[in-house]
């Protein structure tokens, strides 16, 4: 159901931290015209821990109106409380999202059986197709391939965003799953290798900044054109690094602001990018052909 270059969209905010829905509409329109396959609203890059259920509903409805059927809209509905994840997924279903991206329960450190039951409940009761999201570097919890294979048998689970870097994990997932789930990279720096090893797409931070380049790289890798993919990825490599000089989404919001697409708003406990990183991030923008407007 899902593949290609999918953007983990930043959440535009005014300087006081309130949502900037006009800018959100502009971002969705920007990506609809740039080859992006889908947008994720209120994922990690969208500051999901600081977004309320009511705001999620408003953002999804705004994004869907702006998309006007041109691009799929996926909702980030993960939580470390199963009942809350179900509730957020229901909010997204009522708003009209195409699917729910559900991160593993962070901080709790559930067992593999706990993870299985968590996702089973969200798929059964949430009302949307579910994309599993495994990012152990943030959650202290690793959804193992063998558990993913069990979850592939659950009705309504359609894919996984896998953010364990490298190709060993995608190879193991493909071996266990065949074509039962869409395999999406969650690590921009190794996404090309993930795709060449059999992945279907990427849910990307870098695509916020260089959507056309990311789309081109992803399509080349998916269609078995490694030289073309490598050439495009070389232009993106600086962004893959620079957008993580501080915790995501601090750097990417600074870049998208200096592209003239959003304002400066970000919510505590996140803070604006430290000026010590400005030159490095601007150089990565230049290498990727991204215009710095202010």
């Amino acid at each position: 159901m899902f593949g290609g270059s999918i953007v983990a969209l930043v959440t535009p905010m005014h300087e006081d931290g309130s949502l900037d829905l006009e800018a959100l509409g502009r971002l969705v329109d920007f990506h609809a015209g740039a080859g992006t396959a889908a947008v994720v609203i209120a994922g990690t890059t969208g500051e999901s821990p600081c977004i309320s259920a009511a705001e999620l509903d408003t953002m999804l409805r705004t994004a869907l109106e702006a998309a006007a059927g041109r691009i799929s809209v996926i909702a980030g509905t993960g939580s470390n409380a199963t009942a809350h994840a179900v509730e957020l997924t229901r909010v997204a279903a009522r708003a009209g999202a195409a699917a729910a991206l559900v991160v593993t329960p962070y901080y709790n450190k559930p067992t593999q059986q706990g993870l299985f039951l968590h996702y089973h409940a969200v798929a059964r009761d949430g009302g949307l197709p579910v994309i599993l999201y495994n990012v152990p570097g943030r959650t202290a919890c690793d959804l193992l391939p063998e558990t993913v294979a069990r979850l592939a048998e659950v009705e309504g689970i359609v894919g996984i965003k896998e953010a364990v870097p490298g190709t060993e994990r995608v190879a193991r997932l493909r071996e266990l799953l065949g074509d039962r789930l869409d395999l999406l990279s969650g690590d921009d720096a190794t996404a090309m290798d993930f795709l060449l090893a059999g992945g279907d797409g990427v849910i990307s931070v870098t695509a916020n900044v260089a959507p056309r380049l990311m789309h081109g790289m992803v399509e080349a890798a998916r269609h078995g054109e490694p030289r073309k993919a490598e050439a495009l990825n070389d232009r993106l490599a600086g962004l893959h690094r620079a957008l993580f000089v501080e915790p995501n989404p601090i750097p990417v919001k600074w870049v998208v602001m200096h592209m003239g697409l959003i304002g400066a708003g970000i919510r505590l406990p996140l803070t604006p990018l430290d000026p010590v990183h400005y030159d490095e991030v601007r150089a990565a923008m230049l290498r990727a052909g991204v215009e710095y407007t202010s």
Side-chain angles (χ1 to χ4, degrees):
M1 294 177 65
F2 299 98
S5 178
I6 300 170
V7 63
L9 200 67
V10 297
T11 296
M13 297 173 183
H14 299 289
E15 288 197 41
D16 64 0
S18 61
L19 297 179
D20 185 345
L21 297 177
E22 183 179 348
L24 177 60
R26 287 199 304 270
L27 286 181
V28 172
D29 186 64
F30 171 66
H31 283 284
T36 300
V39 296
V40 174
I41 300 296
T44 304
T45 309
E47 298 173 71
S48 56
C50 300
I51 302 295
S52 71
E55 288 176 322
L56 175 64
D57 178 76
T58 299
M59 291 167 64
L60 287 169
R61 293 179 189 275
T62 299
L64 284 159
E65 182 178 0
R70 296 173 296 163
I71 188 170
S72 295
V73 176
I74 299 167
T77 65
S79 171
N80 63 341
T82 302
H84 189 219
V86 171
E87 175 190 354
L88 291 174
T89 305
R90 288 174 174 169
V91 167
R94 289 193 294 269
L101 178 67
V102 183
V103 72
T104 53
Y106 39 87
Y107 188 76
N108 301 10
K109 293 188 176 182
T111 65
Q112 294 299 305
Q113 178 65 4
L115 290 169
F116 175 83
L117 293 173
H118 173 83
Y119 281 114
H120 189 282
V122 177
R124 180 190 63 211
D125 300 331
L128 279 179
V130 169
I131 301 170
L132 315 171
Y133 178 14
N134 187 43
V135 56
R138 278 188 178 262
T139 63
C141 171
D142 190 0
L143 181 64
L144 297 178
E146 291 74 19
T147 306
V148 176
R150 291 180 64 201
L151 287 165
E153 300 298 324
V154 175
E155 184 177 0
I157 294 178
V158 298
I160 179 169
K161 177 184 177 182
E162 179 58 77
V164 172
T167 59
E168 289 185 12
R169 184 61 64 95
V170 66
R172 179 61 174 156
L173 287 168
R174 189 58 83 196
E175 176 187 0
L176 290 171
L177 298 171
D179 294 326
R180 288 182 292 163
L181 296 185
D182 295 325
L183 303 186
L184 305 170
S185 171
D187 181 67
D188 279 315
T190 60
M192 183 191 71
D193 293 332
F194 183 102
L195 293 163
L196 290 170
D200 297 299
V202 57
I203 297 181
S204 170
V205 177
T206 301
N208 279 281
V209 177
R212 292 186 187 278
L213 268 181
M214 279 298 298
H215 168 74
M217 185 278 286
V218 169
E219 291 307 299
R222 290 178 72 195
H223 291 95
E225 300 177 83
R227 290 187 180 179
K228 182 178 179 181
E230 288 166 6
L232 294 170
N233 198 55
D234 182 63
R235 294 175 58 192
L236 292 163
L239 285 173
H240 296 335
R241 292 188 297 271
L243 296 180
F244 294 90
V245 292
E246 287 188 1
N248 179 48
I250 291 172
V252 70
K253 289 199 88 171
W254 185 87
V255 172
V256 178
M257 176 184 68
H258 284 289
M259 293 169 66
L261 293 172
I262 64 172
I266 194 166
R267 288 184 179 175
L268 287 169
L270 298 180
T271 52
L273 184 68
D274 191 314
V276 72
H277 299 300
Y278 287 2
D279 287 346
E280 179 181 355
V281 178
R282 276 195 292 254
M285 293 172 69
L286 179 65
R287 171 65 177 161
V290 178
E291 185 177 357
Y292 182 91
T293 61
S294 60

